[in-house]
């Protein structure tokens, strides 16, 4: 019954990483959802044209913010290194640093993709504006 | 004692015949914007071949300046007087060093620099103060040791590699340490590596500036043992600088006592310790609480070192000396040879020798007995604090396998602290003392277990007996109960330089708790409260301190400000987290006496966290010894010190360096280092380091044994069993 548990551990780590990534990318996705759907209430009062006029610009600016945020934010890496030193009395090895930077790069890539999603939505709204109205 | 000293002297040359090092009338004055700062005055010293010289004194007495002067590392704004000769040749003089260096021609500077390079490390090497930071973090230890050989020898790469290996092994390190980066080594290993680097070229003289400061007591004992064993082999002559009299007593044949840049006393170490002929030496030695002797009152040294910038007359120590007379203020005492080999700078040195001046022994200030039936102020029940990086999002993202494991910082601690008691928590760094203090004060949320605090309902009449129980762990941070708890409990931090805001005046620092707890808005009342507490902590007169900023205060005064801030609301319970470890020797006794007075006067209960067993013995009524997050022994402080039961406590007590020729650090019954609280053994936490360990210790948790009332320990073995193991000599002291 004392078989190799490294596979199970790897699965567990993989699941934890996926969960953490999801936690980090959830806020900008939620923000996009709110940006698109909250101002829809204004449609009742002002109609679709003002909404479609302003929102592509707002969402495009938000896309730039999201991309830059993803590029600059360390996604908790410095806090992790501090905790590692304080609680585990361990200094990260070169391999650890490469792993941390890889995770940061993946998350930055995800934020860029989310930024592109923002831009796509804004372009879509713009296309609706010029083709439908 | 003197006979022992004479034995040790045998086979060594007298410093007075052919000295290896001769410091002749050395004076160092720094030219600063504020004026001339006299760091050293007329130092005359000789160090014999094969001799070890200790230098003791308070911070600011000129110990390190003397060491750097010997190495020729004196700053350019210094004006030198006198000279230093090494092996018969003048190496430092007033014409080439300090300010005079700037006037040298380029060619002369080059010649001087080459001359110094040929002496440094080859003839004189130094183990610098704070050697934890002496290594370059970007290079391996091997590269840094090899650098010494590359600069000073013509050895080939293979020979350098072989020599590096030899010196690292001679310093008691494994060869794998060579390939390590500094951060990969523990404090003790780094210290050994620094010593190895200093011994690389087998210099004639090694200067060790505070070689064990900042190390844990057990590591310190091992380093002392290492240095002792290297004497006569790799180390020929040595100068040991330390503020710790215990360390110097173990490593030095002769001792020099420095005060404000002047030599106060010189003589064979044990003789000076046994019958010092100078009031400053007596005051300095009596500032240390002893782990050996019974608890007698220690005074500390009142006042502070004289301002080195000001004009001074007479004996510099006179304003702080309890024996000072008119003559002391008017005439400078000479450094006289009172008896052969014993020099003292005091007008009354002969009276000390003849026994005409006798120190009176005062009763201990903490003789207030704590009633066993006294009410509890604080109780913990199976208190546990585990950390795991996996609970945090970034921990899940970056953590690999090992971070899934839990750090057991505090593990099922049960304790009760009685009203008016000083309760000591002792152990090495990493044993969980500070975490325990923080969990108790709810600065960290406990993983499980309970902290119960009993607050007096009527603060005006604390003896009324009405107590309200606060379940600290279960209460919400913003609840009224926690507000009351915050008011009744305070914390004094370790570092007075970091724990008080440098931008605030003393008044604003101390008034902060009054404002935070909305005690009163009346400025007159606030001023009254602040002044009263400043008087209590002896910052008199309070008006002269109120408007000062922290940088205008000494370390001891800063710690008193921190104490005043903690006491202004008259709390019932105080956690003092290593409050004296950053203070100078002379100030420690003063602060400990202050805590005792506060307890006696106001009945404040104190949890005193420390790694210094001697101060714990001096101050505490009861002691709990912690190891890797668990308590291993607890009892009355005298019981624990005189009759330690747990092998860890026994080792800790043995590791404290004592000014006693019979103390042998190599006999410490402990292996390795404390490690971390992640991979804790299944059974006894101390199993891996315990010389008495058996199979049962690895697999099953030790039971609690209580051979004396109120004095218990966690171990599988009784004292008789431990003693029988000892008599069979089944120890392996090697790491």
């Amino acid at each position: 019954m004392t078989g190799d548990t490294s596979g199970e551990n790897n699965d567990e780590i993989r699941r934890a990483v996926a969960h953490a990534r999801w936690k980090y990318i959830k806020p900008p996705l939620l923000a996009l959802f709110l940006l698109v759907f909250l101002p829809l209430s204004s449609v009742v009062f002002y109609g679709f044209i003002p909404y479609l006029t302003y929102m592509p610009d707002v969402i495009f600016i938000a896309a730039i913010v999201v991309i830059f945020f993803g590029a600059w934010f360390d996604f908790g890496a410095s806090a992790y290194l501090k905790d590692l030193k304080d609680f585990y009395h361990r200094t990260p090895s070169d391999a650890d640093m490469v792993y941390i930077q890889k995770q940061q790069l993946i998350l930055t890539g995800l934020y860029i993709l989310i930024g592109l999603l923002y831009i796509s939505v804004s372009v879509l709204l713009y296309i609706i504006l010029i083709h439908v109205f | 004692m003197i006979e022992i000293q004479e034995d040790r002297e045998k086979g060594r040359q007298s410093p007075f015949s052919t000295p290896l090092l001769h410091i002749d009338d050395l004076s160092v004055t720094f030219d600063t914007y504020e004026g001339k700062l006299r760091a050293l005055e007329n130092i005359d010293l000789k160090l014999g071949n094969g001799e070890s010289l200790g230098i003791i004194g308070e911070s600011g007495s000129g110990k390190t300046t003397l060491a750097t002067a010997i190495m020729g590392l004196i700053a350019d704004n210094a004006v030198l007087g006198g000279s230093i000769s090494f092996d018969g040749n003048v190496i430092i003089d007033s014409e080439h060093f300090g300010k005079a260096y700037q006037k040298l021609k380029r060619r002369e500077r080059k010649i001087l620099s080459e001359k110094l390079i040929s002496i440094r490390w080859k003839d004189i090497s130094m183990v610098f103060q704070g050697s934890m930071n002496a290594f370059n973090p970007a290079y391996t230890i091997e590269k840094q040791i090899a650098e010494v050989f590359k600069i000073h020898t013509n050895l080939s790469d293979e020979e350098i590699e072989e020599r590096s290996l030899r010196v690292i092994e001679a310093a008691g390190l494994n060869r794998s340490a060579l390939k390590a980066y500094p951060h990969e080594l523990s404090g003790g290993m780094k210290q050994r590596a620094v010593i190895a680097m200093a011994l690389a070229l087998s210099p004639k003289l090694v200067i060790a500036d505070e070689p064990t400061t900042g190390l844990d007591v057990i590591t310190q004992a091992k380093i002392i043992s290492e240095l002792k064993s290297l004497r006569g082999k790799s180390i020929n002559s040595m100068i040991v600088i330390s503020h710790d009299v215990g360390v110097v007593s173990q490593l030095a044949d002769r001792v020099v006592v420095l005060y404000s840049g002047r030599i106060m006393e010189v003589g064979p170490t044990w003789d000076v310790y046994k019958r010092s002929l100078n009031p400053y030496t007596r005051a300095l030695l009596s500032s240390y609480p002893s782990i050996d002797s019974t608890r007698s009152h220690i005074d500390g040294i009142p006042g502070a070192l004289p301002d080195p910038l000001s004009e001074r007359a007479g004996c510099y120590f006179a304003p702080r000396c309890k024996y000072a007379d008119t003559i002391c203020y008017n005439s400078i005492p000479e450094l006289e040879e009172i008896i052969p080999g014993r020099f003292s700078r005091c007008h009354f040195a002969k009276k000390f020798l003849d026994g005409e001046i006798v120190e009176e022994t005062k009763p201990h200030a903490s003789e207030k007995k704590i009633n066993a039936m006294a009410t509890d102020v604080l109780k913990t029940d199976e208190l546990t604090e585990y950390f795991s990086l996996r609970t945090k999002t970034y921990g899940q993202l970056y953590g690999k396998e090992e971070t899934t494991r839990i750090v057991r910082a505090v593990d099922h601690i049960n304790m009760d602290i009685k009203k008016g008691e000083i309760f000591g928590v002792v152990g090495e760094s990493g044993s969980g003392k500070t975490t325990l203090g923080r969990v108790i004060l709810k600065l960290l949320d406990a993983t499980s277990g309970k902290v119960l605090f009993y607050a007096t309902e009527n603060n005006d009449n604390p003896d009324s007996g009405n107590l309200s129980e606060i379940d600290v762990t279960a209460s919400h941070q913003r609840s009224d109960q926690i507000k009351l708890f915050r008011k009744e409990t305070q914390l004094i931090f370790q570092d007075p330089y970091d724990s008080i805001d440098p931008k605030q005046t003393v008044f604003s620092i101390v008034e902060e708790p009054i404002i935070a707890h909305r005690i009163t808005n009346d400025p007159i009342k606030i001023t009254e409260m602040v002044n009263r507490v400043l008087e209590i902590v002896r910052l008199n007169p309070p008006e002269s301190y109120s408007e000062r900023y922290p940088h205008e205060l000494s370390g001891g005064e800063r710690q008193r400000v921190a104490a005043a801030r903690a006491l202004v609301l008259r709390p019932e319970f105080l956690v003092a987290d290593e409050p004296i470890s950053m203070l100078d020797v002379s100030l420690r006794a003063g602060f400990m006496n202050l805590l005792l007075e506060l307890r006696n006067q106001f009945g404040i209960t104190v949890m005193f966290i420390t790694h210094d067993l001697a101060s714990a013995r001096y101050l505490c009524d009861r002691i709990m010894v912690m190891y890797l997050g668990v308590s291993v022994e607890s009892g009355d402080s005298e019981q624990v010190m005189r009759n330690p039961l747990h092998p860890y406590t026994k080792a800790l007590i043995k590791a404290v360096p004592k000014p006693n020729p019979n103390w042998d650090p190599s006999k410490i019954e402990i292996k390795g280092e404390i490690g971390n609280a992640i991979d804790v053994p299944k059974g006894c936490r101390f199993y891996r380091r315990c010389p008495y360990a058996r199979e049962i210790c690895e697999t099953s948790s030790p039971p609690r044994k209580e051979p004396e009332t109120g004095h218990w320990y966690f171990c599988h073995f009784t004292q008789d069993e431990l003693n029988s193991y000892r008599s069979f000599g089944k120890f392996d002291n090697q790491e």
Side-chain angles (χ1 to χ4, degrees), chain B residues 129-183:
Chain B
Q129 193 170 1
S131 55
M132 304 291 178
N133 305 317
F135 284 115
N136 185 337
Y139 297 122
T140 60
I141 301 293
E142 184 176 28
K143 192 164 183 180
Q144 297 185 57
I145 292 178
E147 202 178 25
V148 175
F149 293 109
K150 277 184 185 159
I151 292 171
H152 295 280
T153 65
N154 297 320
L155 296 173
S156 66
D157 285 353
E158 288 76 33
E159 284 170 320
I160 289 175
E161 201 175 311
E162 193 204 321
R163 290 279 293 273
S164 307
L165 189 66
R166 221 187 299 156
V167 292
I168 209 89
E169 283 179 344
L173 280 173
N174 194 297
R175 58 173 62 199
S176 61
L178 275 177
K179 301 288 174 204
Y181 284 90
H183 71 259

Side-chain angles (χ1 to χ4, degrees), chain B residues 268-545:
Chain B
T269 311
W270 300 120
D271 199 18
V272 170
Y273 281 24
K274 194 83 183 156
R275 45 165 191 170
S276 48
L277 304 178
N278 193 291
Y280 176 62
T281 317
R282 288 188 172 211
L284 192 66
L285 295 175
S286 65
S287 293
Y288 287 90
S290 167
I291 199 164
D292 269 345
S293 57
T294 51
R295 293 203 295 180
S296 55
H297 182 82
I298 51 167
D299 279 329
I301 311 175
L305 282 161
D307 183 1
L309 291 162
S310 65
E311 280 299 317
R312 292 167 286 181
C315 175
Y316 291 172
F317 187 58
R320 304 171 77 186
C321 180
K322 55 184 172 184
Y323 309 108
D325 210 341
T326 326
I327 188 177
C328 306
Y329 291 95
N330 299 326
S331 124
I332 302 172
E334 290 297 317
L335 186 68
E336 284 178 65
E337 189 165 15
I338 311 298
I339 44 170
R342 290 293 309 273
F343 296 82
S344 175
R345 190 190 289 276
C346 180
H347 292 292
F348 305 118
K350 285 206 170 73
K351 286 190 177 176
F352 282 112
L353 180 69
D354 300 337
E356 285 176 42
I357 301 175
V358 184
E359 296 268 347
E360 43 187 280
T361 316
K362 290 183 189 170
H364 190 258
S366 83
E367 286 314 318
K368 183 182 170 183
K369 284 277 165 224
I370 298 301
N371 184 358
M373 302 301 285
T375 50
D376 287 333
V377 164
L378 189 119
K379 223 177 186 175
T380 66
D381 181 22
E382 301 290 328
L383 187 65
T384 302
E385 178 69 14
Y386 291 166
F387 295 111
S388 171
L389 275 178
R390 284 281 154 183
T391 53
K392 294 173 179 164
T393 310
Y394 55 74
Q396 292 176 346
L397 183 64
Y398 303 121
K400 287 185 186 169
E401 213 168 315
E402 67 259 31
T403 49
T404 57
R405 288 179 285 180
I406 293 162
V407 180
R408 294 161 198 270
V410 172
D411 215 352
H412 296 91
I413 297 283
N414 293 306
M415 62 181 199
D416 55 295
I417 303 178
K418 307 245 180 264
K419 193 169 172 53
E421 183 179 31
I422 300 183
F423 187 84
V425 179
V426 298
E428 286 172 276
S429 301
S431 56
K433 310 183 294 291
T434 299
T435 310
L436 175 66
R438 286 174 183 234
V439 176
I440 283 175
L441 291 182
K442 207 174 166 70
L443 297 177
L444 291 169
D445 285 324
T447 307
S448 68
K450 261 185 185 179
V451 177
L452 298 172
F453 180 73
Y454 300 92
T456 312
E457 280 177 357
N458 183 2
N459 262 347
D460 298 327
N461 181 16
D463 298 326
S464 61
N466 295 331
L467 297 172
S468 63
E469 183 184 282
I470 300 173
D471 188 341
V472 179
T473 36
S475 306
H476 191 267
Q477 283 283 12
R478 290 185 181 173
S479 67
D480 288 342
Q481 285 191 318
I482 290 300
K483 279 182 189 162
L484 175 65
F485 174 72
R486 291 261 175 261
K487 190 172 154 255
E488 294 295 348
T489 56
Q490 290 291 332
L491 175 66
I492 299 177
F493 294 92
Q494 182 172 4
D495 189 351
Y497 294 87
D498 281 347
S499 64
I500 53 179
D501 187 347
K503 288 181 186 166
Q504 287 190 323
T505 61
V506 169
F507 186 88
S508 354
I509 291 166
V510 179
E511 74 166 347
E512 223 169 2
I514 305 172
I515 295 165
H517 287 278
R518 295 179 188 154
I519 305 298
T520 175
N521 284 327
D522 182 357
I524 298 168
K525 265 192 177 173
I526 292 176
T527 312
E528 261 175 33
M529 286 172 84
V530 171
N531 285 350
R532 201 187 316 137
V533 77
L534 288 178
E535 269 174 21
I536 289 170
V537 297
R538 300 261 177 80
L539 291 173
N540 282 319
E543 294 77 21
S544 76
Y545 281 93

